[in-house]
Amino acid sequence: MGVPRAFPHLRMRQKRVNISRFSGATVAVDVMGYVVQGHYRIMKKVGLASVDDTKSSVEIVSSIEDIVQTIINAGCTVYLVTDGKKLPKKAKEHEARAKKRDNDLVTAEYYFQLGRKKEARKYLARSTIISPAVLNSLKGIANKYPNKCFYVGSLFEADSQIGYLAQNNLCDLVISHDSDMMLFGCPKVLFTMNKKGWGWFYETANIPTVLGWEEYNHEKFLKMMILSKCEYVKNIPGIGIAKAQKIIEATPNLSTKSILTTVVQLFPNSIIPEDYDKDFDEAYLTYLYSAVVDPRQMESTRFHSPPPSLTEEYLGFAGHLHNKTETMDIVLGNIHLNSGRPSQQVSNTSELDVLFPPECFFNPQYRTKNQVMEFYIQEDDDIDGIEEEDEDDERPKEYPCPDCDKVFNYLSRLLIHGVQHSGVKAFSCQLCKRAFGYQVSLDLHMRMHEGARKFKCEVCGIAFTRQDVLSNHLAVHSEERSFQCNKCGDTFKTNSSLCQHMEVHSEERSYECDQCDLCFKRIRNLNAHKATVHVETRPFKCDKCDKDFSRKDALDQHVLAIHTKDRPFVCDVCKMAFNDASHLRRHKRTVHTERKPFKCLICPNIQYSRSDHLTRHMKDSHPTRFEEFKANKKRQPSTDPSAEPPLKKPK
C-alpha cells in the first residue's frame, strides 16, 4: 500500500516510539491496514481446504481489539476509520487486483497438488477477499468502549478521510500502515504500531531536511511521490522514488508537460505509458479533491475546496458527493456499502447528541480544536517491546543505493551491490585472466580449473560444479512444462526460462553500451555485444583450425558444431539429432511450432520463423535498406530469437 520504498528513501521508521508518549491524544486509526495484515497472516497458516471464514474473522477482530485496547490504555481516544466504496480513479487498479487474485488462486491450487504447502499458502493469502463478517465486527469493537472508541465509515478511501481529519485538527495522531498518509498531509503518523504500542514515528516537518529542500512545497513533494509510483496512475518503468526526486528537482516548473520533458532528458530510455499525462493530472487532483465527510456537519465535501473550473461532474474520478442521509448512514456504519442493506448494528441518526459525548465530533455540540496537541517525542531507549513484523511487512531499510532505487538492510550488502555500478573487477584468475567483481565468483570459477565438475548429467553428459545446478539442468530433459507465460501462453520447463522469456514482453532497455549508441534488454546481451564488437583481442583459438574467438563459450560451440560428430541433442517430436542445443531449439521452433519471431520492420505483417529467411526477404524486397539491416544484425550477438535487435540511444 502506498508508494514503494517511500519509508527507506525518506529515512522514516528511525524513531521508535510507544503510544504511551501520546497520552490524551485523539487518534485516527487506518484500521483496514490491520484487517489486511491479520487476514494475510491467518491465511498463510491454513490450507486451501480448511479455510474457515468465520473463525478467521474472529481472529482478525480479536487482533484489532488488542490494538484498540493498547491505545485506550495509553489514555487516548480512538477513531477506527474504514474504507468505503471503490474510488473510480482506482478502477483499473481494482480490475488488475481482481485478475491477480484469480491467478494467485490457481497458482495456490497448483502448489497444493505438488505438495508445496508453503508456497500454496502464500498465494492463497494473496487471493482472498476481506469478508463482510470482519467489517461488521469493527463497529462492535467501538461499542465495547463507549466514549473511548468510535467507528468512522469513509465515502471512499480511508486514507483521504483520515487526511481530512488531520488537516482540520480533528485528530492529534494518525496510526497507519500506508505511506499515502504523507501524501494527504498528515502531520504526525505512527506507522505499523504493534499490539504492545510500538511504532515508527514521523512528522511532516522533518521531510524538507530529509530531502534537502530549503522550503517544504507540498505540491512538489506530492508530484514526486506520484511520479515514483502510486495506485492512481500507471508507473513509468524504471522510475522509482530516487529518480523521481532527481526529475522533480531538475524540472523548471511543476506542470505535467515540463515534468515529462525532464524525464526524457534525464532518462532517455524511459517509455512513458499512453495517456500518462492525463492520468498524472487526475492522480494529483485526486489527492487534492477526494470526496470525504465533514463529521462535524455529517455532510459530504471535498478534501480541499476545488476552484469553479473543476466541476463536480469532472471530479467524478475522485469520488462523488452523497446526500446527507446517505452520508450519515455510511459514516455511522448503518449500511453495507456494496449491497446497500442495513448492517447488524444500526445507529439512530436523530440521536447523535445521545449516542456520542460532546468530546466526539459526531455530537452536534462538538467544538473544533484550534490546534492539535504538541508532543515532546524522542526515540525510546527500551526497545524490548518491539515485536518482529510479518515477513511481508515493510522493514526498516537504511542504506539506499545512490545510483539506483535499491535499498539494503545492511551496509555490507550495499557495498557488495555497488560493484555492479562501479564496473571494477578486482578478482582475476591467474590461469585464464578472467576478472570478477566478487571473491565468491572467482572461487566458483577456479573450481572449473580444478576439475571439480563432478556432477554429471546421465542424459547428455554435461558436467557441473554443483548439485543444485545439475538439478536445474535436468528439467531440460523433462517433458513437463509447468511454467506458463500469462501474456502469450508459451510454456517453459524452468522458472528461470520463464523469467528470461518475460523480458520479451518488456519495452524497457536499461543496459546501454558505453562505447556505442546501442541499448539492450539483458545485461548478458550487452556483455556479449561488447565482447564481440568492441573487443580488441581474441584469445581463444581453435587448435583444429585457424579460427579464434573473443569468448570461451563461442569456441566451445564452434568445436562442438564443426569438429565433432556427436549429436547428443535429439528432437522429442521427430527424433532428429543435432550437435548443438541451439540448433535443436531452432529446429523445434521452425518445424514444430507456428511461432515466427523474425519480423520485418518495414513491411506490415511480414514475419518468418528463421533469421536467414528474413535476411533473404530484406535483400530481395528492400535492397536500399539491406546494408543497414546487416550492420544491425552483426551488432546483435545473441542467437536467441526472443532477443529483439538492440535499439539506438535517442539523441
Side-chain angles (χ1 to χ4, degrees):
M1 293 183 291
V3 177
R5 300 193 181 99
F7 293 118
H9 182 76
L10 297 172
R11 295 198 285 278
M12 301 301 175
R13 289 185 157 192
Q14 293 184 338
K15 189 178 291 187
R16 300 177 289 266
V17 177
N18 193 277
I19 188 64
S20 60
R21 295 276 187 174
F22 303 92
S23 179
T26 299
V27 180
V29 180
D30 182 8
V31 72
M32 296 309 296
Y34 288 100
V35 172
V36 173
Q37 182 189 61
H39 198 267
Y40 184 76
R41 286 177 173 175
I42 291 171
M43 297 304 289
K44 285 181 68 176
K45 297 177 183 177
V46 299
L48 186 64
S50 61
V51 175
D52 186 336
D53 184 64
T54 302
K55 182 179 179 181
S56 64
S57 298
V58 171
E59 290 190 44
I60 294 170
V61 173
S62 176
S63 176
I64 295 173
E65 188 171 349
D66 291 341
I67 295 290
V68 172
Q69 184 68 64
T70 299
I71 300 173
I72 293 176
N73 290 343
C76 302
T77 302
V78 188
Y79 287 88
L80 301 178
V81 186
T82 66
D83 281 336
K85 296 180 180 179
K86 295 179 179 179
L87 192 69
K89 182 57 185 169
K90 291 176 65 174
K92 294 181 181 179
E93 174 73 14
H94 289 305
E95 182 180 354
R97 289 180 180 179
K99 291 181 179 179
K100 188 176 185 304
R101 282 195 296 267
D102 292 339
N103 292 335
D104 288 339
L105 184 57
V106 173
T107 306
E109 292 176 348
Y110 171 74
Y111 279 126
F112 269 117
Q113 293 173 1
L114 295 180
R116 297 165 62 177
K117 294 184 178 180
K118 182 177 180 181
E119 293 96 330
R121 288 167 182 159
K122 181 176 181 179
Y123 282 98
L124 175 63
R126 293 176 178 178
S127 68
T128 51
I129 302 174
I130 305 303
S131 67
V134 174
L135 301 179
N136 287 339
S137 302
L138 295 176
K139 189 174 180 181
I141 295 177
N143 293 339
K144 286 186 179 181
Y145 304 94
N147 301 338
K148 285 295 181 180
C149 182
F150 307 98
Y151 173 93
V152 182
S154 304
L155 295 182
F156 294 96
E157 300 277 279
D159 45 13
S160 59
Q161 182 62 57
I162 292 176
Y164 182 83
L165 299 180
Q167 289 281 306
N168 289 273
N169 299 333
L170 297 176
C171 66
D172 304 300
L173 177 71
V174 171
I175 295 178
S176 176
H177 288 74
D178 195 341
S179 61
D180 267 355
M181 294 304 164
M182 295 182 288
L183 279 66
F184 282 103
C186 298
K188 296 180 177 66
V189 186
L190 191 63
F191 281 107
T192 60
M193 191 195 82
N194 61 25
K195 294 179 182 179
K196 294 184 179 180
W198 292 94
W200 304 88
F201 180 69
Y202 101 93
E203 295 181 88
T204 302
N206 294 331
I207 294 179
T209 302
V210 172
L211 296 178
W213 293 353
E214 295 182 0
E215 291 186 16
Y216 179 74
N217 185 323
H218 188 65
E219 179 185 2
K220 184 177 178 181
F221 172 73
L222 183 53
K223 290 189 174 181
M224 178 191 82
M225 301 293 270
I226 296 173
L227 182 64
S228 66
K229 187 177 181 179
C230 77
E231 296 177 334
Y232 298 154
V233 63
K234 186 177 181 180
N235 185 43
I236 300 176
I239 302 298
I241 192 168
K243 290 182 179 178
Q245 182 176 351
K246 295 178 182 178
I247 293 167
I248 292 297
E249 290 176 343
T251 302
N253 62 69
L254 295 177
S255 69
T256 304
K257 181 179 180 180
S258 181
I259 291 173
L260 296 182
T261 300
T262 306
V263 170
V264 175
Q265 291 174 346
L266 295 183
F267 305 99
N269 293 323
S270 298
I271 299 176
I272 299 175
E274 185 179 0
D275 294 330
Y276 182 82
D277 52 349
K278 175 177 177 291
D279 286 341
F280 187 94
D281 288 336
E282 289 185 354
Y284 177 66
L285 295 177
T286 299
Y287 281 109
L288 293 184
Y289 307 117
S290 286
V292 294
V293 173
D294 184 345
R296 297 161 295 186
Q297 306 297 327
M298 282 292 188
E299 293 179 348
S300 298
T301 185
R302 295 285 175 187
F303 191 84
H304 295 293
S305 297
S309 59
L310 298 178
T311 64
E312 282 298 319
E313 182 180 2
Y314 174 77
L315 290 174
F317 56 81
H320 62 277
L321 305 184
H322 296 63
N323 61 46
K324 187 159 187 173
T325 301
E326 291 176 341
T327 300
M328 294 181 70
D329 284 335
I330 292 172
V331 173
L332 299 177
N334 288 342
I335 60 173
H336 296 299
L337 289 179
N338 293 332
S339 65
R341 295 193 300 269
S343 65
Q344 296 176 353
Q345 304 178 54
V346 177
S347 301
N348 190 339
T349 57
S350 65
E351 297 182 352
L352 298 182
D353 55 342
V354 177
L355 294 174
F356 303 102
E359 296 79 17
C360 173
F361 45 59
F362 291 156
N363 191 302
Q365 301 178 15
Y366 175 80
R367 294 184 179 180
T368 303
K369 296 182 294 184
N370 292 327
Q371 60 184 14
V372 297
M373 294 179 61
E374 294 295 331
F375 306 95
Y376 174 69
I377 301 297
Q378 61 182 8
E379 182 177 359
D380 288 308
D381 297 327
D382 180 15
I383 62 172
D384 294 335
I386 296 184
E387 301 171 342
E388 287 295 324
E389 298 290 342
D390 185 82
E391 63 184 49
D392 293 284
D393 289 345
E394 192 169 6
R395 307 289 291 275
K397 301 174 184 177
E398 302 178 354
Y399 301 99
C401 175
D403 299 311
C404 69
D405 291 327
K406 290 188 177 181
V407 182
F408 300 89
N409 291 344
Y410 306 101
L411 179 60
S412 58
R413 293 182 181 177
L414 172 61
L415 296 177
I416 293 173
H417 164 77
V419 174
Q420 298 181 13
H421 299 297
S422 67
V424 176
K425 296 184 177 181
F427 305 94
S428 59
C429 174
Q430 299 301 314
L431 299 178
C432 66
K433 306 304 179 182
R434 284 190 64 185
F436 303 88
Y438 309 101
Q439 178 66 51
V440 65
S441 301
L442 175 61
D443 294 341
L444 290 174
H445 167 77
M446 292 304 297
R447 296 175 65 178
M448 298 173 57
H449 296 300
E450 296 168 2
R453 292 178 174 266
K454 59 182 180 180
F455 301 100
K456 188 173 183 179
C457 175
E458 297 179 355
V459 180
C460 64
I462 297 179
F464 301 91
T465 58
R466 303 203 312 265
Q467 176 63 50
D468 60 322
V469 179
L470 171 60
S471 299
N472 291 333
H473 163 76
L474 290 175
V476 174
H477 303 297
S478 171
E479 298 298 326
E480 184 178 1
R481 305 177 72 89
S482 307
F483 302 90
Q484 185 174 29
C485 175
N486 58 8
K487 294 185 180 295
C488 66
D490 282 2
T491 56
F492 302 88
K493 294 181 178 181
T494 64
N495 185 53
S496 60
S497 299
L498 172 60
C499 294
Q500 181 177 337
H501 162 79
M502 291 304 294
E503 295 178 0
V504 174
H505 301 296
S506 172
E507 298 298 329
E508 182 178 2
R509 296 174 181 266
S510 54
Y511 300 102
E512 303 177 0
C513 178
D514 55 4
Q515 301 181 51
C516 68
D517 57 353
L518 297 184
C519 305
F520 300 83
K521 287 184 178 180
R522 303 171 183 167
I523 191 171
R524 68 180 180 84
N525 286 351
L526 170 61
N527 293 335
H529 159 77
K530 295 171 71 172
T532 54
V533 177
H534 301 299
V535 68
E536 297 180 356
T537 60
R538 303 172 69 88
F540 301 98
K541 302 182 182 298
C542 178
D543 56 2
K544 299 182 184 299
C545 64
D546 58 354
K547 287 198 172 185
D548 51 26
F549 303 88
S550 59
R551 295 182 296 154
K552 178 67 164 56
D553 61 328
L555 171 61
D556 293 341
Q557 186 176 11
H558 162 78
V559 173
L560 183 64
I562 305 300
H563 301 297
T564 66
K565 296 183 179 180
D566 296 337
R567 294 176 177 269
F569 303 97
V570 180
C571 176
D572 54 3
V573 180
C574 65
K575 307 306 179 184
M576 284 189 66
F578 302 86
N579 58 9
D580 187 83
S582 64
H583 295 168
L584 173 59
R585 288 195 298 269
R586 183 176 63 182
H587 162 77
K588 295 179 71 174
R589 184 182 70 250
T590 57
V591 178
H592 300 301
T593 70
E594 296 181 356
R595 292 186 60 196
K596 296 182 178 181
F598 300 98
K599 302 178 181 180
C600 176
L601 300 180
I602 302 174
C603 300
N605 303 323
I606 296 296
Q607 52 192 26
Y608 300 92
S609 60
R610 290 174 47 176
S611 174
D612 57 330
H613 291 175
L614 174 60
T615 302
R616 186 191 313 152
H617 164 78
M618 291 296 298
K619 184 176 181 180
D620 295 341
S621 303
H622 311 292
T624 58
R625 300 285 297 275
F626 184 64
E627 293 301 324
E628 178 187 354
F629 169 79
K630 284 202 307 181
N632 283 336
K633 189 175 180 181
K634 288 181 179 180
R635 288 179 173 178
Q636 172 61 17
S638 173
T639 59
D640 185 353
S642 65
E644 299 178 9
L647 295 181
K648 292 186 177 181
K649 301 176 187 176
K651 295 182 179 180

